[in-house]
Amino acid sequence: MAGESNSDNNGVKKKPNIGEKIKKYKEQSETSVFRDARPIHTPFKEYQPNGYHLKFMQVITRHGRRTPESTRYPLEMWSCNNIENLISDHTEKPTCAKGQLTVFGTKDLINVGRAYHTLLIDRLQFLSPQYTPSEIYIRSSDRERTISSARSLMHGLYGGSFAESNERSPRSSTFEIRPEPIENMYPRGSCQRFSFLKSLLPKHPVVLNDQKKSELAKFNQRVQAIFDDAKDDDAPFYLQGWRSYAGLVNSFDCFKNHGLPLPRGFTQQVVERMYLEAAKEYKSMGLFPDMSVLGIGRFVGDLSRQMFAKANNEKSVHPLKFALYSAHDSTLASLLVAFKMYDDNKHPETASTLEFLLYEKESEKVEKEKEKKTVVGSKDDDKQFVKIIYNQKVLHMEDCNDQEVDNMCPLGRFREICDSLIPTNYTEQCKITDEEKKRFNVAIQNAKL
């Protein structure tokens, strides 16, 4: 406090108590450059391909910035909205809970929603100017941070409040929230085959060779040394160790992206390498195709059934134009790996967006191509195409590169790719015998680069 001495009677500098530290950290966070959401630069031309019209759009998001999921840090350092009145700035900010969306995270998704308002309402006139429930489908995982992120995005898109006191009641909710046991928007450790294959990845020759070439062991020691030196540092972020870089980056983000002090040594070079290693961990899942089928394949089935129902003009989805799925980094990373389009060597950041857009050729363009005899396939697949945009950048699926038309994948080919990722019997395919485990281990040991 002003006017008070920071030293005792012997001139020894006093250490601030924990309450003073927390207050200082919180003030530092709330006045940092991180308090505002990242700017979004929408590539409007990519959404208006000549000769096509947008028919349907699916958006999968990662939640906004959040608090740590650990109890080792005082949660009073972060500012969170009141869950029951998420969008209001007039309510007293409560103490945060573990893994909760922060005020910064709320701003993230409001910002995304406003960008979609500009794109889909102002520029494309695709969605109705007023919120029309029949045009929009919303699904969230059963986590406060994803539910609140979906509410925030919808607030940015249409204004008003999308917070409901009985959010989890299917009769009154605009959100679909599936019970935890049947959620499929992220890989489940309860699938034995998936978990076993995941445990083999660190032993895979491709992974080991990359780690040797990149001298990962030395980098691990460097990061550990940063934490060891931070024990007496005036920074709240400290870890004794970490199991994965994906997990480390998630914890790191809770501090860095809220403007909270970090231990000395986290240079830009170190941070970029951490994100790279987190991306590598996710991308390594592609070494075992079964991991995509069992990890995210059921969700691919949900997405594709909705997409193809719209493509086939089924009555059940006739008014539907926009589907929002509020999910996690593991959701986005798993989809990028499954569709073989994880080109960005970066862990999916908070408020990331992955879009699947269904386009239909205008009648005149279809007739011209029929005259040239270039249109093949079914009636529906002839004139419809899928474009994928991740964080404002067009992506290309490896298995569709040679068949793309106007930077898009033909619907028929997209259908084939989706079908190859959907498990035929998830329960049975998740089983794995001891004999199979032995065969996998032998194959890994004998594998050649």
Side-chain angles (χ1 to χ4, degrees), residues 159-335:
S161 176
F162 284 81
E164 300 181 46
S165 59
N166 47 359
E167 185 70 60
R168 298 161 194 269
S169 171
R171 293 183 180 180
S172 62
S173 177
T174 55
F175 294 65
E176 179 185 357
I177 301 173
R178 297 186 179 181
E180 175 68 18
I182 63 171
E183 181 57 80
N184 61 26
M185 280 205 284
Y186 45 82
R188 305 305 300 265
S190 55
C191 179
Q192 293 182 350
R193 182 179 291 269
F194 177 88
S195 294
F196 175 74
L197 293 176
K198 184 178 180 180
S199 72
L200 285 185
L201 288 177
K203 308 174 188 176
H204 198 288
V206 172
V207 173
L208 293 173
N209 186 59
D210 176 77
Q211 292 178 353
K212 182 178 179 181
K213 285 184 176 180
S214 65
E215 298 185 322
L216 180 61
K218 288 185 178 179
F219 181 70
N220 292 343
Q221 293 173 357
R222 182 177 180 183
V223 175
Q224 188 61 61
I226 292 174
F227 284 124
D228 291 342
D229 292 342
K231 289 180 180 179
D232 298 320
D233 196 6
D234 189 26
F237 182 50
Y238 170 75
L239 288 173
Q240 288 184 325
W242 66 96
R243 292 184 296 177
S244 70
Y245 274 98
L248 173 59
V249 164
N250 280 337
S251 296
F252 179 81
D253 276 352
C254 295
F255 292 84
K256 173 182 177 292
N257 294 338
H258 286 87
L260 291 168
L262 296 166
R264 293 184 297 271
F266 276 115
T267 64
Q268 185 62 27
Q269 181 187 38
V270 170
V271 173
E272 289 178 358
R273 177 70 186 273
M274 285 164 51
Y275 276 91
L276 172 62
E277 294 303 330
K280 285 181 180 180
E281 289 173 359
Y282 278 126
K283 291 170 77 170
S284 68
M285 293 191 299
L287 296 170
F288 292 121
D290 277 358
M291 291 191 70
S292 288
V293 173
L294 299 175
I296 204 67
R298 293 181 299 163
F299 183 49
V300 171
D302 292 344
L303 292 172
S304 62
R305 280 188 291 273
Q306 186 184 58
M307 174 75 77
F308 301 140
K310 187 65 183 180
N312 295 333
N313 301 312
E314 294 182 11
K315 290 184 179 180
S316 61
V317 294
H318 176 67
L320 186 63
K321 294 183 178 181
F322 181 85
L324 169 65
Y325 295 87
S326 186
H328 305 265
D329 56 338
S330 57
T331 308
L332 295 178
S334 295
L335 288 171

Side-chain angles (χ1 to χ4, degrees), residues 121-134:
I121 297 175
D122 297 340
R123 295 292 291 263
L124 301 183
Q125 289 84 52
F126 178 65
L127 292 177
S128 300
Q130 301 298 321
Y131 175 60
T132 306
S134 61

